[in-house]
Amino acid sequence: MADRYQQPPKASALLLREARVEEVLGVRIQGKEVEKLLRSLGLKTQRQKSRGKIKVVVPTRRPDLGREADLIEELARLYGYDKIPSTLPLIRSSGGQYDYRLAQERRTRGFLAGEGLVEVVNLPFTADKHNRIFPGLWAGEAAPVAVLNPIAKESTQMRLSLIPGLSENLRANLAQKAETFCAYHLGKVFRLAADGVAEERQCLAGILYGPRARRGLRTGNEPALGFLDCKGLVEGMMDLLALGESAEWSRDAGLFLHPGRAAALSAHERKLGYLGQVHPDISDQLGLPPFLVFELDFEGLLQYAPRRITARSLPRFPAVERDFAIVVDREFPSWQIISWIKNRGEALIQRVDVFDQYLGSPIPEGKKSLAYKIAYRADDRTLTDTEVNALHQDLVNQIAALFGAQLRS
């Protein structure tokens, strides 16, 4: 005796739904055509037309046909793949959720690209000397995060600031004989907290070097980008996020910046960034020519940026403008008076601007003259000269007494 098969396998039966064939293949095959194709494989079929199903008996020689999907796969092969059209699946849109941070990142990238800056993406590793020179925007003394297995000896720590990477980008472009380099980086910085846990924060930094790139019909040599160009770029960012009115500037910018060409940005008594020209000693230490940088706390900007911009109708009544000039110390920041006037909450004061600064005779040495313009407006009537003059004179007297300023006639 050669073999003894006590329990021979039995033929299995599968139910094939005609509607399921169309759902999977994306093409409708008539029930009679389905039966014809399956019978060509030696399968027995029995169509239940009223129920839209076909009972298929699979012989034991086809153990690979164990599911409805296997039968549909055979139908696609026999029917012809070239007869099945290429279509996208029907997916019902769920709407999704608005990502505020992502939207602001895209707006920021669009704005900086329009200003002529290119985006760079650098690795988050840097050298110890770079972290000592550029401590970033961390409050207090920031401890860097050490890399356990650095890929190079120049990359032993996580960056505290985005400026080191941008400075290396400048070095690479200068090596390629670039005359102008303006770039930005929107990325994360890291530090080691007091409890030993690593912290991260998203920042925005940029670098400006050389003359402004010529565009359109402009000819001739452009002057090199300066401090005011860098400050104007940051002010444009603040206006983009509707933070221009709350921005405050000061001279406290850091030891690695030029003391006379640097400024620190704050809003709501929180430092949000700095900008200026890198100190000449630092430039020499890095082996780079003088260049401008800015770095902003992007998370802080989004925290104070209004989520919804409101609009109101144009005023019906004209504004009345009054000017005044004061003599103060040369180091006195002009925004202090503007901030003080805005914080008074006077309903009739619509706008305050500083429009002139004068140095020289007859202004004493170490002093400067600042001229301000105040616009007064009421929503329900036209203001008279009498009430505007009284309000303006009282305001000017308080400024002179509070800030120790001398009024100029």
Side-chain angles (χ1 to χ4, degrees), residues 9 14 29 47 61 92 99 125 134 138 144 172 178 182 211 219 235 244 284 306-307 310 315 344 351 358 382 409:
L14 300 176
I29 304 178
R47 186 183 182 195
R61 67 175 184 275
R92 181 175 298 177
D99 192 327
F125 314 115
F134 303 105
W138 301 102
C182 300
T219 59
E235 287 178 337
D284 295 340
R307 295 297 183 95
T310 58
R344 282 173 53 86
R351 190 181 68 257
Y358 176 72
T382 300
S409 58

Side-chain angles (χ1 to χ4, degrees), residues 283-303:
S283 297
D284 295 340
Q285 185 177 348
L286 297 175
L288 295 172
F291 59 95
L292 296 155
V293 296
F294 69 86
E295 188 166 19
L296 304 174
D297 182 359
F298 193 73
E299 293 183 0
L301 294 177
L302 296 186
Q303 178 181 348

Side-chain angles (χ1 to χ4, degrees), residues 108-118 166 181-185 204-209 212 225-241 249 265 274-276 292-296 301:
T108 300
R109 288 187 169 96
F111 169 78
L112 294 174
E115 293 294 329
L117 278 72
V118 297
L166 290 170
F181 182 67
C182 300
Y184 74 94
H185 185 189
L204 171 67
I207 186 170
L208 305 176
Y209 167 77
R212 186 183 298 274
L225 294 169
F227 170 77
L228 294 181
D229 296 291
C230 187
K231 185 171 182 287
L233 186 65
V234 175
E235 287 178 337
M237 274 292 308
M238 300 296 288
D239 291 338
L240 179 71
L241 298 174
W249 298 94
L265 172 67
Y274 59 83
L275 62 92
L292 296 155
V293 296
F294 69 86
E295 188 166 19
L296 304 174
L301 294 177

Side-chain angles (χ1 to χ4, degrees), residues 27-39:
V27 62
R28 183 175 179 82
I29 304 178
Q30 298 294 334
K32 294 182 179 180
E33 181 70 14
V34 172
E35 284 189 295
K36 179 180 178 181
L37 295 174
L38 293 177
R39 286 174 180 172

Side-chain angles (χ1 to χ4, degrees), residues 61-76:
R61 67 175 184 275
R62 292 298 304 270
D64 58 311
L65 302 180
R67 302 177 303 166
E68 182 185 34
D70 299 331
L71 297 176
I72 297 177
E73 182 180 359
E74 291 294 312
L75 287 175

Side-chain angles (χ1 to χ4, degrees), residues 3 92 173 222 256 273 316 328 359:
D3 188 19
R92 181 175 298 177
N173 279 265
E222 293 287 341
F256 60 91
R316 297 175 54 193
V328 293
L359 303 174

